[in-house]
Amino acid sequence: MSKQKSSEKDIIASLDRLPAREEIYENLQKKFGSLAEYYGFELIFTPPIEHYRQYLPLIRGGYMDERIPVQCRCRPGSDYVLRVSGILSALRAYISHKMSDGPQPVKLVFEGDVFFAESKREDAIKSRYECGLLIAGEEGPVAAAEIVQIFWKILDGIGVDLRELELRVNAIGCASCYPSFRSSLASYFRSRASRLCRSCRKAAKSHPVRALSCADEKCKMFAKHAPQVLDFLCDQCKKQLRGFLEFLDELKVPYYLDPRFFRDGLWFNTLIFEFSGKAKEKPVSAVAVEGGGAEDVAGGDNNDVSAEEHEGAIVIGEGGGCTKAAELLSGKRVEAVGFELYIDRLIMFLSRRRLVDSKKPMVFLTHLGDLAKRKSLALMETLRGGGIEVKESLGRDSIKSQLKLAEKAEAKFALIMGQKEALDDTIIVREVGSGIQETIPQEKLIEFLKAKLKK
Ligand SMILES: [Zn+2]
Ligand SMILES: [Zn+2]
């Protein structure tokens, strides 16, 4: 096999999700979907492929610089791209199926893999598994706040410690006010180009907002005194931001307004927001501004949160206004707000916090002899039906190796069904850690385990 071929193979293999991980994914995705449905969002499935032609205006407008679409074709002239964003695909579906003709807004929940490259020069394909929400046919503070609120609740429902989360928000302007901010920022950085780092010097020309979040000490200093977007917002954008913050205050969702927060090179406009898991070493109270921001919107220097305080935090989801993106996709005005939750990042965050326990089975079912093996199957179903997380190794016959597996799986209890227990419908419950065991009737098992596991 040639060298190039093996690296191609690695790219694809790196996108595989292996069984152990898949279990966590499935669990999170199910919870996410059912909570979103509870809040009135309807599930939509879109194919993992889109028309390249339809994405061209977004690509040309620089709205996909951060996520470069992966192109594919089956014959010359028929070009496709792999799904780049669940928001964009759900928006495309809203447009294709003329959902704007029905009652508005349309609330959709979606999930699936997205694929993209981070640079035009790179071969490596990145993939992410996303769950997300789209409100189409309505834009503005209410829709954005509703999405934030639902995510807040969903993350709570998934088991995330909300004190460990940060919600960062900003208004990045619209087609009428952003250009003047951008040119003012560009000339600010251009006149200081010689003292900026190399990448900021380059960014000053094409993407000046990127220089606002540079980690370089000197650049940080310049970023601190750079023109602020809040001073450039048009009345409409100001009103949107004020409304958004007022809603968040009312919902008691803590946030911080970071005027140097942008998502340049993505499809968001007007309002943007991002959930991230706090950096491990950072004190819990460091940044979150609990309410109180709304009256300061146009004020300027009040929320002095710099981008560097964001370092080390894991961004687990981001969203914002998508009206501009919808317009570029469809050629007409479609108001929309969307949000994407990156499941991989959420898992990374949860596992860092050791919050994901669902992977560990509570009990491990073992058997001794053929009759016990047959009866184990039925018992396993009963346990699962009773809400007990159970693992087994029916393929193995040695009780010693089964108990070893129970230990390896970090199960709390091993259930042992031998010939005698299989005959008189009892079971031995053995605490894996201590080895203490007792025999109880099978019909009382669920009740017994539930009481034990509560402790
Ligand atoms: Zn504006
Ligand atoms: Zn820099």
Side-chain angles (χ1 to χ4, degrees), residues 391-403:
K391 276 222 159 115
E392 43 61 40
S393 169
L394 290 175
R396 292 189 193 223
D397 284 332
S398 143
I399 188 76
K400 211 172 149 194
S401 73
Q402 289 180 66
L403 286 173

PDB file of all heavy atoms in Angstrom, residues 391-403:
ATOM      1  N   LYS A 391     -24.787  -5.553  32.677  1.00  0.00           N
ATOM      2  CA  LYS A 391     -23.896  -6.139  31.669  1.00  0.00           C
ATOM      3  C   LYS A 391     -23.759  -7.618  31.977  1.00  0.00           C
ATOM      4  O   LYS A 391     -24.003  -8.054  33.103  1.00  0.00           O
ATOM      5  CB  LYS A 391     -22.539  -5.457  31.730  1.00  0.00           C
ATOM      6  CG  LYS A 391     -22.484  -4.175  30.933  1.00  0.00           C
ATOM      7  CD  LYS A 391     -21.168  -4.063  30.170  1.00  0.00           C
ATOM      8  CE  LYS A 391     -21.327  -3.090  29.022  1.00  0.00           C
ATOM      9  NZ  LYS A 391     -20.534  -1.918  29.133  1.00  0.00           N
ATOM     10  N   GLU A 392     -23.343  -8.383  30.970  1.00  0.00           N
ATOM     11  CA  GLU A 392     -23.146  -9.809  31.197  1.00  0.00           C
ATOM     12  C   GLU A 392     -22.063 -10.305  30.268  1.00  0.00           C
ATOM     13  O   GLU A 392     -21.598  -9.576  29.407  1.00  0.00           O
ATOM     14  CB  GLU A 392     -24.449 -10.581  30.957  1.00  0.00           C
ATOM     15  CG  GLU A 392     -25.244 -10.152  29.728  1.00  0.00           C
ATOM     16  CD  GLU A 392     -24.550 -10.307  28.412  1.00  0.00           C
ATOM     17  OE1 GLU A 392     -23.860 -11.335  28.244  1.00  0.00           O
ATOM     18  OE2 GLU A 392     -24.688  -9.424  27.545  1.00  0.00           O
ATOM     19  N   SER A 393     -21.722 -11.533  30.463  1.00  0.00           N
ATOM     20  CA  SER A 393     -20.799 -12.160  29.549  1.00  0.00           C
ATOM     21  C   SER A 393     -21.255 -13.596  29.382  1.00  0.00           C
ATOM     22  O   SER A 393     -20.620 -14.536  29.856  1.00  0.00           O
ATOM     23  CB  SER A 393     -19.388 -12.080  30.134  1.00  0.00           C
ATOM     24  OG  SER A 393     -18.543 -12.893  29.384  1.00  0.00           O
ATOM     25  N   LEU A 394     -22.388 -13.745  28.732  1.00  0.00           N
ATOM     26  CA  LEU A 394     -22.991 -15.078  28.606  1.00  0.00           C
ATOM     27  C   LEU A 394     -22.109 -16.039  27.822  1.00  0.00           C
ATOM     28  O   LEU A 394     -22.239 -17.243  27.926  1.00  0.00           O
ATOM     29  CB  LEU A 394     -24.370 -14.975  27.954  1.00  0.00           C
ATOM     30  CG  LEU A 394     -25.445 -14.326  28.827  1.00  0.00           C
ATOM     31  CD1 LEU A 394     -26.744 -14.159  28.065  1.00  0.00           C
ATOM     32  CD2 LEU A 394     -25.689 -15.129  30.091  1.00  0.00           C
ATOM     33  N   GLY A 395     -21.205 -15.474  27.030  1.00  0.00           N
ATOM     34  CA  GLY A 395     -20.325 -16.318  26.215  1.00  0.00           C
ATOM     35  C   GLY A 395     -19.299 -17.074  27.056  1.00  0.00           C
ATOM     36  O   GLY A 395     -18.726 -18.052  26.614  1.00  0.00           O
ATOM     37  N   ARG A 396     -19.044 -16.619  28.261  1.00  0.00           N
ATOM     38  CA  ARG A 396     -18.016 -17.269  29.087  1.00  0.00           C
ATOM     39  C   ARG A 396     -18.658 -18.192  30.102  1.00  0.00           C
ATOM     40  O   ARG A 396     -19.691 -17.869  30.666  1.00  0.00           O
ATOM     41  CB  ARG A 396     -17.214 -16.224  29.835  1.00  0.00           C
ATOM     42  CG  ARG A 396     -16.390 -15.426  28.876  1.00  0.00           C
ATOM     43  CD  ARG A 396     -15.445 -14.548  29.598  1.00  0.00           C
ATOM     44  NE  ARG A 396     -14.946 -13.609  28.612  1.00  0.00           N
ATOM     45  CZ  ARG A 396     -13.685 -13.252  28.518  1.00  0.00           C
ATOM     46  NH1 ARG A 396     -12.808 -13.726  29.355  1.00  0.00           N
ATOM     47  NH2 ARG A 396     -13.300 -12.410  27.595  1.00  0.00           N
ATOM     48  N   ASP A 397     -18.014 -19.298  30.326  1.00  0.00           N
ATOM     49  CA  ASP A 397     -18.597 -20.237  31.268  1.00  0.00           C
ATOM     50  C   ASP A 397     -17.893 -20.242  32.611  1.00  0.00           C
ATOM     51  O   ASP A 397     -18.491 -20.596  33.625  1.00  0.00           O
ATOM     52  CB  ASP A 397     -18.640 -21.652  30.665  1.00  0.00           C
ATOM     53  CG  ASP A 397     -19.772 -21.750  29.632  1.00  0.00           C
ATOM     54  OD1 ASP A 397     -20.766 -20.988  29.786  1.00  0.00           O
ATOM     55  OD2 ASP A 397     -19.655 -22.528  28.674  1.00  0.00           O
ATOM     56  N   SER A 398     -16.611 -19.856  32.632  1.00  0.00           N
ATOM     57  CA  SER A 398     -15.891 -19.888  33.917  1.00  0.00           C
ATOM     58  C   SER A 398     -16.370 -18.749  34.808  1.00  0.00           C
ATOM     59  O   SER A 398     -16.374 -17.589  34.415  1.00  0.00           O
ATOM     60  CB  SER A 398     -14.388 -19.763  33.654  1.00  0.00           C
ATOM     61  OG  SER A 398     -13.794 -18.978  34.659  1.00  0.00           O
ATOM     62  N   ILE A 399     -16.792 -19.096  35.998  1.00  0.00           N
ATOM     63  CA  ILE A 399     -17.329 -18.079  36.915  1.00  0.00           C
ATOM     64  C   ILE A 399     -16.216 -17.119  37.330  1.00  0.00           C
ATOM     65  O   ILE A 399     -16.437 -15.920  37.499  1.00  0.00           O
ATOM     66  CB  ILE A 399     -18.007 -18.732  38.155  1.00  0.00           C
ATOM     67  CG1 ILE A 399     -18.739 -17.686  39.003  1.00  0.00           C
ATOM     68  CG2 ILE A 399     -17.018 -19.475  39.031  1.00  0.00           C
ATOM     69  CD1 ILE A 399     -20.039 -17.243  38.423  1.00  0.00           C
ATOM     70  N   LYS A 400     -14.996 -17.654  37.400  1.00  0.00           N
ATOM     71  CA  LYS A 400     -13.878 -16.824  37.816  1.00  0.00           C
ATOM     72  C   LYS A 400     -13.638 -15.706  36.796  1.00  0.00           C
ATOM     73  O   LYS A 400     -13.497 -14.535  37.157  1.00  0.00           O
ATOM     74  CB  LYS A 400     -12.628 -17.706  37.927  1.00  0.00           C
ATOM     75  CG  LYS A 400     -11.675 -17.209  38.985  1.00  0.00           C
ATOM     76  CD  LYS A 400     -10.560 -18.199  39.189  1.00  0.00           C
ATOM     77  CE  LYS A 400      -9.286 -17.465  39.591  1.00  0.00           C
ATOM     78  NZ  LYS A 400      -8.115 -18.325  39.487  1.00  0.00           N
ATOM     79  N   SER A 401     -13.637 -16.089  35.526  1.00  0.00           N
ATOM     80  CA  SER A 401     -13.366 -15.055  34.519  1.00  0.00           C
ATOM     81  C   SER A 401     -14.536 -14.076  34.418  1.00  0.00           C
ATOM     82  O   SER A 401     -14.351 -12.894  34.132  1.00  0.00           O
ATOM     83  CB  SER A 401     -13.036 -15.682  33.162  1.00  0.00           C
ATOM     84  OG  SER A 401     -14.203 -16.205  32.580  1.00  0.00           O
ATOM     85  N   GLN A 402     -15.751 -14.559  34.681  1.00  0.00           N
ATOM     86  CA  GLN A 402     -16.906 -13.651  34.657  1.00  0.00           C
ATOM     87  C   GLN A 402     -16.806 -12.619  35.776  1.00  0.00           C
ATOM     88  O   GLN A 402     -17.084 -11.440  35.590  1.00  0.00           O
ATOM     89  CB  GLN A 402     -18.209 -14.432  34.803  1.00  0.00           C
ATOM     90  CG  GLN A 402     -18.561 -15.258  33.572  1.00  0.00           C
ATOM     91  CD  GLN A 402     -19.871 -15.994  33.792  1.00  0.00           C
ATOM     92  OE1 GLN A 402     -20.925 -15.381  33.908  1.00  0.00           O
ATOM     93  NE2 GLN A 402     -19.809 -17.301  33.869  1.00  0.00           N
ATOM     94  N   LEU A 403     -16.396 -13.082  36.949  1.00  0.00           N
ATOM     95  CA  LEU A 403     -16.274 -12.147  38.072  1.00  0.00           C
ATOM     96  C   LEU A 403     -15.157 -11.133  37.836  1.00  0.00           C
ATOM     97  O   LEU A 403     -15.246  -9.978  38.231  1.00  0.00           O
ATOM     98  CB  LEU A 403     -16.031 -12.909  39.385  1.00  0.00           C
ATOM     99  CG  LEU A 403     -17.269 -13.635  39.927  1.00  0.00           C
ATOM    100  CD1 LEU A 403     -16.905 -14.509  41.121  1.00  0.00           C
ATOM    101  CD2 LEU A 403     -18.363 -12.636  40.321  1.00  0.00           C
TER     102      LEU A 403
END
